[in-house]
Amino acid sequence: MTWRIRDRATFEALRRSGALARRGPVTVTYASVGIAPEPRVAYAVGRRTGKAVTRNRLRRRLRAAVGHVPGLAPGAYLVAAGPEAVEMGFEELKNQVAEAMTRASGRAE
């Protein structure tokens, strides 16, 4: 189970964090700030990706992919996706999200 990021301090910690991993069109930033013990996730899908319908669909697919990642380390994650992610199949997207999240959280430790 993952939680949402809502507070500005966590977004600032993510911005300052050096733990970044990129896998294809998916980029994950990780920060292990003094926050709740569960993983918290925010999503970033830019306007270059397409119209609002396309961006929202990709955001929902990213949310579903994050739900399939086993054993997430506690901390804050920012999952960003580029326009190429729209054309990817769900299995490929899921694998790239999982690998990027694992690498990002491993770099911070």
Side-chain angles (χ1 to χ4, degrees):
M1 176 174 241
T2 59
W3 301 87
R4 290 173 51 182
I5 297 174
R6 295 184 180 197
D7 58 310
R8 185 176 176 93
T10 305
F11 281 106
E12 286 295 321
L14 282 166
R15 190 179 61 76
R16 288 188 309 267
S17 173
L20 185 109
R22 183 174 177 112
R23 181 75 171 116
V26 178
T27 304
V28 176
T29 306
Y30 174 78
S32 61
V33 293
I35 58 173
E38 67 273 342
R40 297 172 63 194
V41 183
Y43 302 92
V45 179
R47 286 189 179 171
R48 289 185 332 157
T49 304
K51 296 186 182 230
V53 172
T54 305
R55 293 192 311 265
N56 290 334
R57 182 178 297 128
L58 179 56
R59 198 173 293 114
R60 285 192 303 270
R61 291 178 71 213
L62 287 171
R63 204 173 300 129
V66 168
H68 285 92
V69 178
L72 279 178
Y77 296 86
L78 175 62
V79 179
E84 300 85 19
V86 173
E87 303 298 324
M88 295 172 63
F90 183 70
E91 286 299 316
E92 185 180 2
L93 181 66
K94 183 173 71 170
N95 292 337
Q96 291 193 359
V97 166
E99 188 172 332
M101 291 183 90
T102 304
R103 283 185 182 182
S105 62
R107 287 186 179 169
E109 296 172 355

